[in-house]
Amino acid sequence: MFKIRSYLLLFSLSALGACSSSPPDKVDQIKTLQIPLVLPGEKPLPSQTTHIATLYHNNKNQINALTFMLKEKYLQDVKPKDIFEKDSDVQRVFASLSKLEEMGSINQQYLKERNEAGLTSLSIALKPIIVG
C-alpha cells in the first residue's frame, strides 16, 4: 500500500512539474530563430516593386520594434559586470539583439536584390515572435 502511494505521489509531482514549464520568452525565440536564406529568383515586374518595398518596410518595422522592446525591457538597469558574466540574462539579450541586427542586414540585402521570396520568408519567420 505504501509503494502505491509513493508511486502516486511521484507521478503527481512529475505531472505538475511538466505542466508548470512556461513557453520560451521572446529573447529565447529570437535567439534560436533560424533566419531564412533565399537566393534571388527572377527579376520582379515593375508592378511588384511596391509590394517588395512594403514587405521590406514591414520587416524593418518589426525588427526595430523587437529591438526597442528588448532594450527597453531588459537593458535599462544593466551593470557592467552583468555584461561580462557568462550565462547571464544580459548575454541572452545581446545574442538576440545580434540576431535581429543580422536579420535587418539580410532584409536590406533582399530589398537590394528585389528578392520577394526572401522578404516573404523573413516576414513569416518574424510573425510568431511578433504575435506571441
Side-chain angles (χ1 to χ4, degrees):
M1 185 87 155
F2 180 70
K3 283 191 174 202
I4 294 174
R5 285 188 205 162
S6 63
Y7 286 124
L8 183 60
L9 178 64
L10 181 63
F11 176 73
S12 299
L13 290 175
S14 65
L16 286 175
C19 293
S20 67
S21 62
S22 60
D25 63 350
K26 288 191 187 294
V27 173
D28 289 330
Q29 285 180 314
I30 294 168
K31 191 173 92 174
T32 59
L33 180 70
Q34 295 294 318
I35 300 173
L37 298 176
V38 180
L39 295 175
E42 298 176 15
K43 294 291 181 191
L45 300 172
S47 63
Q48 291 177 319
T49 303
T50 57
H51 177 65
I52 289 172
T54 302
L55 283 171
Y56 165 77
H57 286 293
N58 287 343
N59 290 344
K60 182 179 178 184
N61 290 339
Q62 289 178 344
I63 291 167
N64 289 343
L66 286 169
T67 300
F68 179 78
M69 183 274 304
L70 289 178
K71 288 179 179 179
E72 186 73 21
K73 186 172 181 179
Y74 296 101
L75 300 179
Q76 290 299 311
D77 299 319
V78 174
K79 295 168 182 59
K81 72 174 191 159
D82 295 335
I83 295 171
F84 299 107
E85 190 174 297
K86 187 175 180 175
D87 297 329
S88 72
D89 287 338
V90 174
Q91 292 293 327
R92 291 177 38 239
V93 173
F94 281 135
S96 296
L97 288 170
S98 295
K99 179 74 74 154
L100 289 172
E101 188 174 330
E102 184 180 355
M103 292 177 83
S105 296
I106 291 171
N107 191 44
Q108 287 177 337
Q109 184 64 34
Y110 286 161
L111 176 66
K112 182 178 171 183
E113 295 171 349
R114 295 180 160 190
N115 186 343
E116 182 179 3
L119 290 167
T120 302
S121 296
L122 198 56
S123 178
I124 290 169
L126 285 167
K127 186 167 281 198
I129 298 168
I130 297 295
V131 172

